[in-house]
Protein backbone atom coordinates (compact mmCIF):
# COMPACT_ATOMS: atom_id res chain seq x y z
CA UNK A 1 0.00 0.00 0.00
CA UNK A 2 1.37 3.41 -0.98
CA UNK A 3 0.93 5.88 1.86
CA UNK A 4 3.22 8.55 0.47
CA UNK A 5 1.92 12.11 0.65
CA UNK A 6 0.15 12.87 -2.65
CA UNK A 7 1.96 16.21 -2.84
CA UNK A 8 5.35 14.47 -2.76
CA UNK A 9 4.19 12.11 -5.49
CA UNK A 10 2.99 15.09 -7.56
CA UNK A 11 6.31 16.90 -7.08
CA UNK A 12 8.20 13.77 -8.13
CA UNK A 13 6.05 13.48 -11.25
CA UNK A 14 6.64 17.16 -12.02
CA UNK A 15 10.42 16.71 -11.77
CA UNK A 16 10.35 13.62 -13.98
CA UNK A 17 8.26 15.47 -16.60
CA UNK A 18 10.70 18.39 -16.44
CA UNK A 19 13.73 16.14 -16.95
CA UNK A 20 11.99 14.17 -19.70
CA UNK A 21 11.52 17.46 -21.55
CA UNK A 22 15.30 17.60 -22.05
CA UNK A 23 15.90 20.95 -20.35
CA UNK A 24 19.04 22.92 -21.02
CA UNK A 25 21.92 22.58 -18.55
CA UNK A 26 21.07 26.06 -17.25
CA UNK A 27 17.47 25.01 -16.59
CA UNK A 28 18.61 21.87 -14.75
CA UNK A 29 21.01 23.83 -12.57
CA UNK A 30 18.26 26.34 -11.74
CA UNK A 31 15.90 23.59 -10.55
CA UNK A 32 14.91 24.19 -6.90
CA UNK A 33 12.05 22.94 -4.73
CA UNK A 34 9.16 25.27 -4.10
CA UNK A 35 9.09 27.03 -0.73
CA UNK A 36 6.26 24.78 0.40
CA UNK A 37 8.04 21.60 -0.61
CA UNK A 38 11.30 22.75 0.98
CA UNK A 39 9.45 23.48 4.22
CA UNK A 40 7.91 20.00 4.16
CA UNK A 41 11.31 18.41 3.45
CA UNK A 42 12.80 20.37 6.37
CA UNK A 43 10.03 19.10 8.68
CA UNK A 44 10.60 15.49 7.62
CA UNK A 45 14.36 15.89 8.02
CA UNK A 46 13.94 17.20 11.56
CA UNK A 47 11.70 14.25 12.41
CA UNK A 48 14.09 11.80 10.72
CA UNK A 49 17.01 13.11 12.76
CA UNK A 50 15.01 12.40 15.92
CA UNK A 51 13.90 9.02 14.56
CA UNK A 52 10.26 10.06 14.88
CA UNK A 53 9.06 9.22 11.36
CA UNK A 54 5.91 7.16 10.97
CA UNK A 55 5.93 4.32 8.44
CA UNK A 56 4.19 6.58 5.90
CA UNK A 57 6.67 9.40 6.53
CA UNK A 58 9.59 6.99 6.17
CA UNK A 59 8.25 5.87 2.78
CA UNK A 60 7.86 9.49 1.76
CA UNK A 61 11.39 10.32 2.98
CA UNK A 62 12.78 7.46 0.90
CA UNK A 63 10.96 8.79 -2.17
CA UNK A 64 12.36 12.28 -1.53
CA UNK A 65 15.88 10.87 -1.14
CA UNK A 66 15.56 8.98 -4.44
CA UNK A 67 14.30 12.10 -6.18
CA UNK A 68 17.14 14.16 -4.68
CA UNK A 69 19.65 11.62 -6.01
CA UNK A 70 18.11 11.89 -9.48
CA UNK A 71 18.29 15.69 -9.38
CA UNK A 72 21.91 15.68 -8.16
CA UNK A 73 22.82 13.31 -11.00
CA UNK A 74 21.07 15.54 -13.54
CA UNK A 75 22.89 18.59 -12.16
CA UNK A 76 26.25 16.81 -12.28
CA UNK A 77 25.56 15.91 -15.92
CA UNK A 78 24.60 19.53 -16.64
CA UNK A 79 27.86 20.75 -15.11
CA UNK A 80 29.84 18.28 -17.21
CA UNK A 81 28.05 19.57 -20.33
CA UNK A 82 29.32 23.06 -19.50
CA UNK A 83 32.86 21.67 -19.37
CA UNK A 84 32.37 19.81 -22.65
CA UNK A 85 31.04 22.91 -24.37
CA UNK A 86 33.91 25.14 -23.23
CA UNK A 87 36.82 23.04 -24.53
Amino acid sequence: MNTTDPNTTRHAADVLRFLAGQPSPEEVLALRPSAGLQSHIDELLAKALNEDLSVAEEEEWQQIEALEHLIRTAKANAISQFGDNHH
Side-chain angles (χ1 to χ4, degrees):
M1 178 161 88
N2 184 356
T3 54
T4 301
D5 185 312
N7 286 324
T8 299
T9 301
R10 182 178 51 80
H11 290 298
D14 289 346
V15 168
L16 293 176
R17 268 192 299 280
F18 171 77
L19 294 174
Q22 298 180 335
S24 70
E26 294 85 357
E27 290 171 318
V28 172
L29 293 174
L31 184 61
R32 301 280 185 271
S34 68
L37 178 58
Q38 186 61 58
S39 175
H40 184 62
I41 290 169
D42 292 344
E43 290 171 12
L44 284 176
L45 177 59
K47 287 184 83 172
L49 292 173
N50 291 320
E51 299 179 9
D52 285 338
L53 292 178
S54 67
V55 172
E57 289 169 331
E58 179 62 35
E59 289 175 8
E60 184 178 7
W61 184 249
Q62 289 175 4
Q63 183 179 7
I64 289 168
E65 285 183 320
L67 188 60
E68 176 66 19
H69 177 74
L70 179 67
I71 292 168
R72 285 178 189 247
T73 301
K75 287 186 176 195
N77 288 336
I79 290 168
S80 72
Q81 287 180 20
F82 278 124
D84 292 345
N85 292 334
H86 290 98
H87 284 121

